[in-house]
Amino acid sequence: MSYATVEAGVATVIKKLANYSTTNVSQDDVRVLANGVARAAILSRGGSSREPVTLGITTYTIQNTWITNIYIYVPMAAEYATTKTNLDSEVDAVLAELAKWPNLAGVSGVFNSLAEVVSEPEIFVQGINWLRTVMEVVTMELVDITRSE
């Protein structure tokens, strides 16, 4: 499996929410913010690691751990408190949906994923002012590998 498959799985789960679709969920493309959307989720690649789980003479199993960053955006309202409430609602909805799908809606090899918020809200300017925060999804998968030696 590849990181791209994991990121696509995260995007698929977010799009299960009624307020998210291809118009406001993107993979590393901030241009969705120019579409006049009321909210957006932009995914980007984080870190990754691999470690052996079982070792055999001809085959072995490794655990890949992939990190996907999710930037959740809401446009600034007249009052900051309203904007912060809107952002908190979006983050809570995305966290709850990801919790329902620890295998990212059936991505092959994925046995668990965990999401958490990793940053304080910050103002981001892209055409208009947005408030955004960063979430991190840590996805774990097992892969069987056959040695070619």
Side-chain angles (χ1 to χ4, degrees), residues 34-82:
N35 293 342
V37 296
R39 68 200 47 81
I42 300 175
L43 287 59
S44 70
R45 186 176 190 146
S48 62
S49 65
R50 303 177 111 186
E51 62 182 87
V53 177
T54 62
L55 298 173
I57 295 173
T58 59
T59 63
Y60 62 101
T61 302
I62 60 169
Q63 177 181 308
N64 288 328
T65 302
W66 308 98
I67 296 176
T68 304
N69 298 313
I70 306 172
Y71 295 83
I72 303 291
Y73 294 82
V74 296
M76 294 294 289
E79 297 293 325
Y80 181 84
T82 302

Side-chain angles (χ1 to χ4, degrees), residues 106-126:
V107 172
S108 178
V110 170
F111 67 91
N112 200 19
S113 63
L114 303 166
E116 63 183 359
V117 177
V118 296
S119 79
E120 293 294 320
E122 63 182 358
I123 295 173
F124 179 79
V125 178
Q126 178 76 20

Side-chain angles (χ1 to χ4, degrees), residues 82-97:
T82 302
T83 306
K84 176 72 168 66
T85 298
N86 293 344
L87 181 63
D88 289 344
S89 295
E90 295 303 325
V91 168
D92 290 346
V94 171
L95 283 171
E97 194 66 23

Side-chain angles (χ1 to χ4, degrees), residues 3-15 27 43 68 104 107:
Y3 170 78
T5 304
V6 169
E7 187 176 272
V10 172
T12 296
V13 171
I14 294 170
K15 290 175 192 172
Q27 293 171 264
L43 287 59
T68 304
L104 302 179
V107 172

